[in-house]
Amino acid sequence: MFLFLGAIVAGFAILVWSADKFVEGAASTAKHLGMPSLLIGILIVGFGTSAPEMVVSAIAAMEGNPGLALGNAIGSNIVNIALILGVTAIVAPITVNSKIVRKEIPLLLLIVLFSGYLLFDNTLTFVEGVVLLVGFFSLIAWSIYAAIKGKGDALESEMDDELLEHEMSLKAGVLWLIIGLVLLIASSRLLVWGAVGVATEFGVSDLIIGLTIVALGTSLPELAASVIAARKGEHDIAIGNVVGSNMFNILAVIGIAVVIAPMNNIPFEVLQRDWIIMLLLTIALLFMAYGFRNKEGKITRLEGFILVICYVAYNTYLGMTLTGNI
């Protein structure tokens, strides 16, 4: 038992560090190769912070633990909005200025709704996995188009400042990219092994482990990135991290896992409980970010507290179902 727990702790620690270095190296390399700052912000920072979820879920699927893969993706989306944006807004209220980020949030809602449609029959087939991946590549194409058309967007200036602060040579960028990727894969394998071991020891489904422990751990890079960005006043990076990550989790993370190992007999609770929570949080994010009724698009400290309470309540509910109190 202690060996499994140690593997989880060590896996998380290396995962968070390597994910950060991977994103920094990738962003620096892309900048040296001439990629626009806005595109780096949308693709590499927005999607790159979900690299842990992708690697963990892919490994889990390959090792015959599809529940862990699915739980990780959905659970991470719940963590991203409820906990990460909640904590970030408490630290520094988040104002949404970027037009691109404001366009991405309704798109995220559509992606969430589509994932619910796929989950409705409690299966995710190989073909559906391919469809999700096609959607992901379409999203990349749209992101490139948006970056080209979005010159002068608020996100661009924030990314310029961020890249300047973490400036490094091309050689260093490539080196950190490779080191980060290698350690990311190694730590993910360690984390999956530990998580499956704990689930087996306690008789808990790998789905629940994925929704809770693994989802929280793989989302730590987003938490660190968003809080730091918000404290610097880089609000659009803070919320862009979460929105980009959530789209990536559904389209790429679930897509890759399902292509590797199609999922049959998915527990109905995934749609009835976890997907519903993800949907409601996404709708809440839409309302907060758009600021309807002449309200500024902003996530206030009060709303941040409410989001964190929602996260605690959700995990408490999961815990009560495990103990048989519900």
Side-chain angles (χ1 to χ4, degrees):
M1 170 58 70
F2 290 109
L3 187 60
F4 293 137
L5 291 174
I8 291 175
V9 172
F12 278 154
I14 300 171
L15 189 77
V16 172
W17 185 83
S18 60
D20 181 58
K21 294 304 178 184
F22 172 74
V23 172
E24 280 189 16
S28 178
T29 301
K31 187 65 177 176
H32 280 290
L33 295 177
M35 182 180 286
S37 301
L38 185 56
L39 192 56
I40 292 174
I42 296 172
L43 291 183
I44 296 178
V45 177
F47 295 155
T49 49
S50 276
E53 285 92 336
M54 181 181 69
V55 178
V56 167
S57 291
I59 291 174
M62 285 189 289
E63 296 184 353
N65 301 104
L68 180 61
L70 183 61
N72 180 32
I74 295 177
S76 292
N77 280 14
I78 293 171
V79 171
N80 283 348
I81 297 177
L83 181 64
I84 293 176
L85 282 185
V87 169
T88 303
I90 292 170
V91 172
I94 306 168
T95 303
V96 185
N97 299 308
S98 171
K99 293 180 180 178
I100 292 177
V101 173
R102 288 167 69 92
K103 289 178 181 177
E104 285 182 334
I105 297 173
L107 183 58
L108 171 61
L109 179 57
L110 290 176
I111 292 171
V112 170
L113 290 170
F114 180 65
S115 69
Y117 168 76
L118 295 182
L119 286 167
F120 194 74
D121 60 356
N122 299 328
T123 62
L124 287 171
T125 65
F126 175 85
V127 172
E128 289 171 337
V130 171
V131 169
L132 288 172
L133 290 178
V134 169
F136 172 64
F137 289 116
S138 299
L139 177 62
I140 289 180
W142 176 83
S143 298
I144 294 172
Y145 173 79
I148 293 172
K149 293 291 184 179
K151 285 289 184 181
D153 189 85
L155 181 60
E156 182 176 31
S157 60
E158 291 183 10
M159 274 309 305
D160 283 333
D161 294 340
E162 193 67 19
L163 289 169
L164 190 62
E165 184 178 338
H166 295 93
E167 191 172 11
M168 63 179 75
S169 67
L170 176 60
K171 185 182 292 185
V174 172
L175 180 63
W176 281 121
L177 172 63
I178 295 171
I179 291 174
L181 181 60
V182 170
L183 289 178
L184 191 61
I185 294 171
S187 59
S188 295
R189 290 189 67 89
L190 185 63
L191 174 58
V192 169
W193 179 78
V196 172
V198 168
T200 303
E201 288 283 338
F202 283 102
V204 178
S205 71
D206 55 358
L207 172 67
I208 295 295
I209 294 294
L211 285 166
T212 53
I213 298 174
V214 177
L216 177 61
T218 55
S219 294
L220 290 178
E222 286 99 327
L223 176 60
S226 292
V227 170
I228 292 171
R231 292 189 66 178
K232 292 178 181 176
E234 297 169 344
H235 296 173
D236 293 301
I237 289 180
I239 194 168
N241 279 338
V242 167
V243 175
S245 175
N246 279 22
M247 291 191 290
F248 186 93
N249 286 342
I250 294 174
L251 296 176
V253 174
I254 295 179
I256 290 172
V258 171
V259 166
I260 293 172
M263 302 178 190
N264 299 311
N265 301 316
I266 297 172
F268 188 64
E269 289 82 2
V270 173
L271 181 65
Q272 189 181 43
R273 178 192 63 203
D274 310 311
W275 179 83
I276 289 291
I277 295 297
M278 180 173 67
L279 174 64
L280 292 175
L281 287 170
T282 305
I283 293 172
L285 175 60
L286 177 69
F287 275 87
M288 288 184 289
Y290 265 76
F292 294 101
R293 295 185 178 180
N294 298 320
K295 176 179 171 291
E296 183 183 25
K298 185 176 184 178
I299 304 176
T300 65
R301 281 195 171 90
L302 175 60
E303 290 166 340
F305 274 113
I306 293 172
L307 287 173
V308 172
I309 290 171
C310 289
Y311 177 73
V312 173
Y314 168 70
N315 279 272
T316 301
Y317 178 81
L318 288 180
M320 292 175 70
T321 59
L322 289 178
T323 57
N325 291 325
I326 292 181

